Amino acid sequence: IPPTDSSEPQQVEGTGASAPIIVEITRIQPYERNPRHGRNPECDRIKDSIRNNGLDQPLVITQRPGAADYIVHAGGNTRLLILKELFDETGDARFSRVPCLFRPWNCESDVLLAHLRENDLRGSLTFIDKARAVFDAKRLLEAESGAEELSHRDLEAELRATGYSVSCGLISRMRYAVETLLPLIPQALEAGMGKRQVERIRILQRATGTLWQRYCSGDDSAFNAVFAALCRRYDGPDWDTDALHGAIETEIAEEAETSIH
């Protein structure tokens, strides 16, 4: 169906979606819960393409009940921001009104998961971006359903029902990354630390925590304070788990007044 010269969606009979429309760029806003927190590494290439060739596919948009403006529905935040930049820089009418495909509003978690699926499909999200989005979706699903806290198993089933498959084991790693590691090593995670490194740190924390209980006088809170302080010390884009490993062993040996060997 060719785009209509309209800024209001017209329902396509029997599809559950509306006809393509042309929308003023000022009426479309980025999605605030976008899973991607960092800059898209393809941003410059995409900007050159849009500048030279225009938008290669319509933006998918939706509209919250009672809102005057639209938001992007399934990916497209990067393209939207680039279009706004190009219009500000050039004033070119090509970038002032854009073709869009309107999706009727369902719920907040539906939009968040649509963005997560689209970004994950493109392989452009870091592990911590995915983890934050999954647990943001968890909170939304709980609020929308009025249910008590979803277990990892229930969350796995809810996500699978929306078309996003993630195992219970991976959800557990994601929770550890978001709740335990993100406050301690944000630079390492944002730089692209993967799930294997996250799991390696979790195993290290458990193993050295057991050694601390066996050889040291302090309780769990004392070990947790040492672990947190050392994580913060070594946080950086070039994260080295071996450095953390050696530092924790040294702390245990000193606390136990014994040889590190």
Side-chain angles (χ1 to χ4, degrees):
I1 303 172
T4 59
D5 188 17
S6 169
S7 61
E8 298 302 329
Q10 304 296 318
Q11 192 74 20
V12 177
E13 186 175 354
T15 65
S18 67
I21 54 175
I22 302 295
V23 181
E24 296 286 340
I25 196 70
T26 55
R27 291 197 60 194
I28 310 173
Q29 305 304 325
Y31 184 54
E32 310 93 320
R33 298 178 183 270
N34 184 27
R36 184 198 303 281
H37 284 241
R39 182 178 184 273
N40 188 334
E42 295 292 312
C43 189
D44 292 339
R45 182 191 63 78
I46 296 170
K47 187 171 184 178
D48 286 341
S49 175
I50 293 177
R51 180 189 290 112
N52 296 324
N53 306 309
L55 199 62
D56 60 351
Q57 57 183 340
L59 292 175
V60 182
I61 61 174
T62 190
Q63 191 174 38
R64 291 187 176 101
D69 289 342
Y70 302 99
I71 56 172
V72 285
H73 179 275
N77 279 281
T78 297
R79 287 179 292 146
L80 174 65
L81 293 173
I82 286 172
L83 286 163
K84 288 177 178 284
E85 285 179 7
L86 288 170
F87 182 59
D88 288 342
E89 293 169 5
T90 67
D92 193 327
R94 290 189 303 143
F95 309 122
S96 67
R97 305 174 78 234
V98 295
C100 299
L101 179 63
F102 180 83
R103 295 278 177 84
W105 177 262
N106 182 14
C107 59
E108 199 72 41
S109 63
D110 177 64
V111 181
L112 172 59
L113 289 168
H115 279 272
L116 179 57
R117 289 192 301 270
E118 179 67 19
N119 280 280
D120 205 16
L121 184 65
R122 296 173 182 271
S124 57
L125 291 178
T126 63
F127 181 70
I128 193 60
D129 279 346
K130 294 179 190 178
R132 277 185 293 220
V134 163
F135 277 87
D136 197 5
K138 176 179 180 290
R139 288 186 288 271
L140 290 173
L141 289 165
E142 290 166 349
E144 290 163 359
S145 67
E148 297 181 358
E149 182 176 359
L150 291 171
S151 68
H152 289 182
R153 186 68 64 189
D154 290 338
L155 180 58
E156 178 187 18
E158 289 282 350
L159 294 175
R160 186 186 298 113
T162 69
Y164 189 74
S165 295
V166 57
S167 68
C168 253
L170 188 54
I171 290 173
S172 179
R173 293 182 194 178
M174 287 177 167
R175 184 168 198 159
Y176 179 72
V178 171
E179 296 183 356
T180 301
L181 294 186
L182 187 56
L184 304 179
I185 53 171
Q187 294 182 66
L189 287 164
E190 300 290 2
M193 176 182 285
K195 60 186 178 183
R196 287 186 177 84
Q197 290 172 292
V198 167
E199 182 63 13
R200 187 180 173 200
I201 296 170
R202 181 164 67 165
I203 291 171
L204 176 63
Q205 183 181 12
R206 289 172 175 171
T208 52
T210 299
L211 288 175
W212 182 278
Q213 292 175 349
R214 183 180 303 170
Y215 293 109
C216 303
S217 57
D219 57 13
D220 288 345
S221 63
F223 170 75
N224 290 336
V226 169
F227 177 80
L230 292 175
C231 282
R232 292 189 178 100
R233 179 190 300 175
Y234 292 102
D235 183 28
D238 300 320
W239 172 266
D240 183 357
T241 305
D242 289 336
L244 176 65
H245 188 163
I248 295 177
E249 285 183 338
T250 299
E251 290 288 337
I252 293 173
E254 290 181 354
E255 179 69 20
E257 298 181 344
T258 189
S259 166
I260 193 170
H261 300 295

